[in-house]
């Protein structure tokens, strides 16, 4: 910027403070607005994040301070006054953007005494005067903030109609921060609470758990397998099995990257699916490809349709425009589905038939009666509890970020926890699969999927606990989005950990039987 250049202020969205995914257009409230509302062009990630930036009436110029400048007058009738009162009662905040810097503040103040206080106090105030505070270094804006606390608000406890005058002030301060360092100031932005710290106790808890669990697997399986292998081979096969059982044969920008990454990696899903479909001697290749491509996308579309419809009904900015829906559909039709087909063709043509590690009998042996603690439900409870306990502490921070106002930046720790989760899932799968086979029940295929896949049920129960006890979310819009996407997330947990569990079990069994001879 040069001196006196216009700095565009974009108004974005408003919403309840405790419902982070319930947002509405800024101009849905009775505030100052231009005669013709013009919107800023947005990226796909910004649209998915609920952004709807529009040009505002604020006249801001670089290094030009203003004081008590009149913006507009708005007359509140009964409807407008009721709308503003409800917004203040629900702790609505507004969001603006200047030079790609986000500014937030509350639209009003709500004062209420305790339930037992006499007389009961219930007062609503509107901030009709805001102050922009900018810092600059040379010709660059370093930070932008908006405050309302310096000016007395006006009371909304009046009878309509009432005329409300809106004002704004502008302050410019020099800064020694280099322009390329301004992104570091965002970490200190304090409108939302900052309670996420480096939680090493979470990592220590998970590491100790996985260490004990792996030690448990090594000791128990070594003792149990010792007697079995003594009839067939020496101890070297045990070492091979234990060493090889974990090998598996890796603003809105995150939203955009996730969608494109999912579409571009569809070829991997097609390849793996077709490879194992051939090993299992499948013949309906078209159905296999369709199922692979829609196994996650179909439930995702159903959940999104319900959530998006609720947002649309209530006028929330989280409802995607029709053009964005078409764009996402084209990404799946033109990228995701074709790559799945290509991967499926490659998997079918490059894989071989299933190579059993040893000879099998033509007639299945009779399965003896099983005790109650070996049934599917007990199997799922034990198999899901241990992987869940490995991530339960970290899960709170993830939920507080996605469904709260926290900002998660400890991605290195998250990666460590992810690796721990996969390790625990593989250990549990190997242990439960062996115990299942030792009871002379050979039907381990789907049992292995549910070994760690059942972790998803524990995650869903935790999401209910988080909603009731750890959050202040309320209302139909936020509740539908929370539980809808929680169900979808748990389904993704089931598919991911179930896959890890199955491959770990399959690898372990191949190592067990690769050198065994039939009795």
């Amino acid at each position: 910027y040069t001196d006196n250049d216009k700095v565009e202020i974009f108004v974005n969205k408003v919403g309840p403070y405790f419902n982070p995914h319930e947002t509405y257009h800024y101009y849905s409230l009775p505030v100052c607005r231009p005669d013709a509302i013009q919107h800023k062009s947005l990226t796909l990630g910004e649209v998915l994040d609920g952004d709807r930036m529009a040009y505002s009436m604020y006249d801001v110029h670089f290094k030009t301070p203003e004081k008590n400048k009149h913006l507009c007058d708005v007359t509140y009738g009964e409807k407008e006054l009721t709308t503003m009162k409800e917004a203040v009662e629900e702790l609505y905040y507004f969001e603006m953007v200047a030079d790609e810097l986000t500014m937030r503040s509350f639209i009003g103040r709500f004062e209420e005494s305790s339930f037992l206080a006499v007389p009961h106090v219930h007062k609503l105030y509107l901030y009709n005067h805001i102050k922009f505070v900018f810092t600059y270094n040379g010709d660059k804006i370093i930070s932008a903030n908006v405050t309302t606390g310096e000016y007395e608000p006006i009371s909304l406890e009046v009878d309509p109609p009432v005329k409300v005058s809106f004002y704004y002030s502008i302050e410019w301060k020099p800064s020694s921060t280099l322009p390329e360092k301004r992104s570091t100031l965002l970490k200190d932005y304090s409108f939302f609470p900052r309670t996420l710290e480096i939680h090493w106790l979470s990592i220590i808890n998970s590491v100790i758990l996985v260490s004990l669990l792996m030690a448990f697997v090594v000791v128990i399986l070594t003792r149990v397998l010792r007697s079995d292998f003594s009839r067939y081979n020496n101890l070297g096969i045990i070492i091979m099995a234990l060493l090889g059982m974990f090998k598996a044969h890796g603003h809105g920008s995150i939203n955009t990257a996730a969608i494109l990454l999912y579409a571009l990696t569809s070829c991997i899903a097609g390849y793996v699916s077709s490879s194992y479909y051939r090993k299992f001697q499948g013949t309906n290749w078209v159905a296999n490809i369709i199922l692979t491509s829609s196994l996650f996308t179909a439930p995702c579309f159903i959940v999104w349709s319900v959530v998006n419809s609720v947002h649309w009904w209530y006028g929330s900015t989280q409802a995607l425009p029709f053009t964005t829906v078409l764009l996402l559909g084209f990404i799946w039709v033109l990228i995701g589905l074709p790559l799945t087909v290509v991967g499926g063709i490659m998997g079918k043509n490059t894989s071989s038939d299933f190579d059993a590690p040893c000879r099998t009998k033509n007639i299945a042996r009779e399965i003896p009666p099983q005790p109650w603690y070996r049934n599917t439900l007990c199997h799922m409870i034990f198999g899901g509890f241990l992987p869940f306990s490995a991530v339960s502490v970290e899960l709170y921070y993830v939920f507080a970020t996605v469904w709260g106002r926290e900002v998660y930046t400890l991605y290195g720790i998250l990666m460590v926890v992810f690796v721990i989760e996969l390790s625990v899932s593989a250990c549990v799968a190997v242990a439960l699969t062996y115990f299942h086979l030792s009871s002379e029940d050979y039907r381990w295929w789907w049992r292995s999927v549910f070994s760690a896949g059942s972790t998803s049920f524990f995650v869903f129960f935790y999401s209910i606990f988080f909603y009731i006890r750890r959050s202040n979310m309320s209302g139909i819009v936020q509740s539908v989005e929370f539980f809808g996407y929680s169900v979808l997330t748990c389904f993704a947990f089931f598919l991911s950990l179930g896959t890890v569990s199955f491959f770990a079990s399959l690898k372990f069994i191949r190592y067990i039987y690769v050198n065994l001879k039939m009795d």
Side-chain angles (χ1 to χ4, degrees), residues 1 40 71 109 179 219 242 271 293 317 349 409 437 494 497 514:
Y1 296 95
K40 178 178 181 280
L71 183 64
R109 190 174 76 213
V219 173
L242 295 179
Y271 178 83
S293 183
T317 61
N349 295 331
T409 58
L437 293 176
F494 175 81
L497 297 185
V514 68

Side-chain angles (χ1 to χ4, degrees), residues 312-345:
W312 174 82
W313 178 261
Y314 281 88
S316 171
T317 61
Q318 296 290 333
L320 298 185
F322 181 70
T323 53
T324 304
V325 177
L326 285 180
L327 177 60
L328 295 176
F330 283 137
I331 291 176
W332 184 77
V333 173
L334 300 179
I335 300 178
L337 184 59
L339 287 180
T340 305
V341 175
V342 171
I345 295 174

Side-chain angles (χ1 to χ4, degrees), residues 79-378:
K79 179 181 178 181
E80 291 79 10
L81 188 60
T82 301
T83 299
M84 192 59 76
K85 284 183 177 181
E86 291 176 350
V88 174
E89 283 182 328
E90 295 182 18
L91 300 180
Y92 267 49
Y93 71 96
F94 64 83
E95 182 176 297
M96 299 181 181
V97 178
D99 196 35
E100 300 183 356
L101 297 171
T102 302
M103 304 176 290
R104 300 183 182 94
S105 188
F106 289 102
I107 66 170
R109 190 174 76 213
F110 178 30
E111 295 181 359
E112 187 173 27
S113 61
S114 63
F115 179 75
L116 298 177
V118 178
H120 183 69
V121 178
H122 185 279
K123 296 181 180 180
L124 302 172
Y125 299 93
L126 173 66
Y127 293 122
N128 66 322
H129 194 155
I130 65 175
K131 179 180 180 181
F132 296 100
V133 180
F134 298 95
T135 63
Y136 65 93
N137 186 346
D139 59 353
K140 304 289 186 180
I141 296 178
I142 302 301
S143 67
N145 194 14
V146 60
T147 63
T148 55
E150 296 185 13
Y151 307 96
E152 285 296 320
I154 62 173
S155 175
L156 294 178
E157 304 299 328
V158 293
D159 296 326
V162 57
K163 181 180 178 181
V164 178
S165 298
F166 289 89
Y167 301 88
Y168 67 99
S169 300
I170 306 172
E171 181 180 0
W172 292 89
K173 298 179 180 179
S175 173
S176 60
T177 303
L178 297 177
E180 55 270 19
K181 298 289 185 179
R182 78 173 192 170
S183 60
T184 60
L185 298 178
L186 298 177
K187 298 179 181 179
D188 300 325
Y189 190 67
S190 58
F191 179 73
F192 295 134
R194 307 288 298 177
T195 59
L196 288 184
E197 303 294 341
I198 299 180
H199 28 276
W200 293 109
L201 289 179
S202 168
I203 300 300
I204 294 174
N205 171 75
S206 300
V207 169
I208 292 176
L209 176 65
V210 71
S211 300
L212 292 176
L213 181 60
M214 296 179 73
F216 165 79
V217 172
V218 172
V219 173
I220 296 300
L221 292 187
T222 300
R223 289 183 177 180
V224 176
L225 287 173
R226 188 190 302 267
S227 59
D228 292 344
F229 274 88
S230 61
R231 295 179 296 171
Y232 302 103
N233 218 324
N234 54 34
L235 188 61
I237 301 180
I238 301 178
I239 299 175
M240 291 175 58
L242 295 179
L243 290 178
M245 65 184 177
F246 302 119
K247 294 180 182 178
H249 289 4
H251 190 41
S253 57
I254 294 180
N255 295 332
T256 305
I259 291 175
L260 294 179
L261 186 62
Y262 180 83
L264 294 175
T265 54
S266 297
C267 58
I268 300 176
Y271 178 83
V272 176
S273 174
S274 294
S275 297
Y276 278 86
Y277 192 63
R278 178 175 179 177
K279 293 179 185 297
F280 298 154
Q281 300 178 352
T283 57
N284 197 345
W285 295 97
V286 175
N288 178 67
I289 290 296
I290 294 177
L291 179 61
T292 302
S293 183
S294 60
L295 184 61
F296 180 75
T297 54
C300 181
F301 177 77
I302 294 173
V303 171
W304 169 83
S305 299
V306 174
V307 174
N308 197 69
S309 299
V310 173
H311 281 298
W312 174 82
W313 178 261
Y314 281 88
S316 171
T317 61
Q318 296 290 333
L320 298 185
F322 181 70
T323 53
T324 304
V325 177
L326 285 180
L327 177 60
L328 295 176
F330 283 137
I331 291 176
W332 184 77
V333 173
L334 300 179
I335 300 178
L337 184 59
L339 287 180
T340 305
V341 175
V342 171
I345 295 174
M346 294 175 59
K348 176 184 176 182
N349 295 331
T350 59
S351 62
S352 58
D353 295 335
F354 184 76
D355 182 21
C358 60
R359 293 186 297 111
T360 58
K361 295 182 179 179
N362 295 326
I363 301 176
R365 66 185 301 173
E366 182 180 357
I367 300 174
Q370 303 292 319
W372 65 270
Y373 54 84
R374 291 188 183 273
N375 61 35
T376 304
L377 180 61
C378 295

